[in-house]
Amino acid sequence: MSAFGSLLPPPLDERRGIPLYYRKSEEEVRQDVYERYDELVARQTALHLADELHGGYPLQPLADYLQPWIPAGPARAVADVGCSVGRLVGDIALAHPDWDCYGIDFSYQMLRQGRDYWTAGKSVSANLLRYGYPLESFTGHQLPNLQFALADAAALPFPDHSLDLLINTFLIDRLPDARRAFTEWQRVVKPGGRVVMVSPLNFLKQKQWEHFHPPIKIVDHLLREGWQLLDLTDPLDLEEPMDKRGNVVRWRTLALVLER
């Protein structure tokens, strides 16, 4: 494999070290709740990077589900689309220093936090005093094999047939048209490559419910598009901690593993 990060072409723009492959309008920024730095970035940081607050990684069942489907071998190319602050792809990059890894998200604020923690080796903090947690900081890593970039999940910056593994979690129910994203993922994944998809299917719009509920509609669509189904787990139950008292949000997710 060539140098790390070489799958990414020159970006349209750059913001504090984050290459931008999509120019968000002011209206898109206003409507994107994940651009509200203080609240949601803090919660995602606490959920994915602050294991010591919880006595372990709260979404460990998600990481455990992913693990058997990570391909073996040297010099693999992996992307987490909708990576948030980069926990899953960061762990892969840490475990496989010769792999070329990418964290893709549509929120600059999430990407900034992920880059600071995973590649810049900075200390990041999560202000969750209102939830009973102490104000703490967490020192990150300096991983040369992990790159972060802002892009549309349905218009990725990768070349055709360039990825061995594409991960997406808690994403497809937030996309305007998940079918466009499925087609794009088929373009960028190598023959024999895999997609691991986990989603609560907590759709926000009526048309999405009509198109994708019950989940067999998603599976049928993917099979018609030529994907091979390696695993279907429904539900994969996950719990997201909300405060120090132990209140949680329970997510009943659909987990799929597909092979191109």
Side-chain angles (χ1 to χ4, degrees):
M1 181 176 290
S2 54
F4 296 136
S6 62
L7 294 183
L8 292 177
L12 300 174
D13 205 347
E14 185 177 288
R15 183 178 174 190
R16 196 182 168 226
I18 301 294
L20 308 178
Y21 294 94
Y22 183 95
R23 289 194 177 100
K24 297 175 78 169
S25 67
E26 292 184 5
E27 181 62 21
E28 285 176 313
V29 171
R30 283 195 298 269
Q31 291 184 0
D32 187 351
V33 295
Y34 294 100
E35 293 292 357
R36 299 170 193 171
Y37 181 84
D38 290 337
E39 176 71 13
L40 288 172
V41 174
R43 291 204 61 83
Q44 288 290 294
T45 300
L47 176 62
H48 294 293
L49 305 181
D51 293 11
E52 52 265 48
L53 289 182
H54 312 291
Y57 182 33
L59 298 189
Q60 189 60 46
L62 173 60
D64 292 342
Y65 178 81
L66 171 63
Q67 186 61 41
W69 302 109
I70 298 174
R76 299 291 190 172
V78 178
D80 185 350
V81 179
C83 68
S84 178
V85 294
R87 173 60 184 258
L88 295 178
V89 73
D91 280 350
I92 292 173
L94 192 61
H96 302 278
D98 62 330
W99 288 16
D100 197 15
C101 300
Y102 300 86
I104 305 297
D105 206 274
F106 203 59
S107 164
Y108 165 77
Q109 300 293 357
M110 296 294 182
L111 292 165
R112 171 184 165 181
Q113 191 83 329
R115 179 182 180 274
D116 284 353
Y117 181 85
W118 291 105
T119 71
K122 295 184 179 180
S123 293
V124 300
S125 61
N127 184 355
L128 296 174
L129 295 174
R130 61 176 289 194
Y131 299 103
Y133 295 114
L135 180 60
E136 295 185 4
S137 62
F138 317 98
T139 302
H141 306 271
Q142 292 180 297
L143 301 180
N145 61 327
L146 175 56
Q147 320 298 321
F148 288 94
L150 189 151
D152 183 345
L156 295 171
F158 301 113
D160 293 353
H161 311 154
S162 58
L163 297 177
D164 296 284
L165 175 65
L166 188 152
I167 306 161
N168 65 93
T169 60
F170 288 80
L171 174 69
I172 64 170
D173 52 2
R174 295 299 180 262
L175 298 177
D177 187 350
R179 289 171 295 189
R180 286 184 57 236
F182 298 154
T183 300
E184 176 70 344
W185 301 346
Q186 195 168 37
R187 179 187 70 80
V188 300
V189 171
K190 296 177 181 178
R194 294 172 180 168
V195 168
V196 178
M197 181 189 313
V198 179
S199 173
L201 303 180
N202 179 32
F203 300 109
L204 300 179
K205 297 181 179 179
Q206 180 182 354
K207 284 191 175 182
Q208 292 172 309
W209 285 104
E210 293 172 358
H211 289 156
F212 298 122
H213 185 77
I216 192 62
K217 292 183 179 180
I218 297 174
V219 177
D220 285 347
H221 174 82
L222 292 166
L223 293 178
R224 287 196 303 270
E225 292 297 305
W227 293 97
Q228 300 298 313
L229 181 65
L230 301 185
D231 184 76
L232 188 159
T233 298
D234 186 15
L236 175 64
D237 290 319
L238 302 172
E239 290 190 352
E240 178 181 348
M242 298 302 294
D243 56 36
K244 195 171 182 177
R245 177 171 167 79
N247 291 305
V248 298
V249 173
R250 291 186 173 86
W251 296 108
R252 189 172 186 269
T253 70
L254 170 73
L256 299 175
V257 182
L258 307 161
E259 187 171 271
R260 189 180 180 282

